[in-house]
Amino acid sequence: MAYFFMRLVPPRSTFPHDGTGEEMAAMKRHAEYWHQKALAGSAIAVGPVFEAGGAFGVAIVEVEDQAAAKALADADPIITSGFGFRFDVSPMPSIILRPQAGTAI
C-alpha cells in the first residue's frame, strides 16, 4: 500500500463562496463519496482548506498505487460533474499516523 496527497483545485479562487446551486449539490455528493471512502479505509483524512489565495480540498489516501489514487480522484462526483475541478495527486513516501484509541505505541 502507498500514501498519496490529493489536492482538489476548484475552477476559481472564489469558490465555494460563490458556488452555484448545482456546484453545491455536486459538493454534497463529493462529501458523501469521500465519507464512504473513509469508512472503507482508503481515505485517511479529507476536508477543505481555506487560505488567503482561496480554498482548496485535501485528501490523504492509502491505496495500492498512483493509478488507484487517480481512479479515486476520477470517480469523485465533483470531477464527473464537469464544473472544472481537478485533482493534483502526489505520492507521500512516508507518513506518521497517530495511534488509534486503545493501541499501544
Side-chain angles (χ1 to χ4, degrees), residues 4 6 61 63-73:
F4 294 87
M6 300 170 60
V61 301
V63 293
E64 291 290 323
D65 54 26
Q66 187 140 359
K70 184 170 177 354
L72 279 177

Side-chain angles (χ1 to χ4, degrees), residues 8-103:
L8 178 64
V9 180
R12 58 191 177 280
S13 63
T14 54
F15 187 86
H17 306 293
D18 63 351
T20 67
E22 293 86 6
E23 287 172 329
M24 298 317 286
M27 285 302 292
K28 183 177 180 188
R29 293 189 302 276
H30 158 81
E32 292 166 354
Y33 173 82
W34 285 104
H35 181 76
Q36 290 303 313
K37 298 306 175 194
L39 290 174
S42 57
I44 296 170
V46 179
V49 177
F50 284 41
E51 63 181 9
F56 62 92
V58 63
I60 298 175
V61 301
E62 181 182 18
V63 293
E64 291 290 323
D65 54 26
Q66 187 140 359
K70 184 170 177 354
L72 279 177
D74 291 346
D76 185 329
I78 202 64
I79 299 301
T80 62
S81 69
F83 291 122
F85 290 80
R86 68 176 169 79
F87 271 105
D88 295 332
V89 179
S90 303
M92 297 178 70
S94 65
I95 189 169
I96 298 171
L97 297 171
R98 70 177 179 193
Q100 299 208 358
T103 304

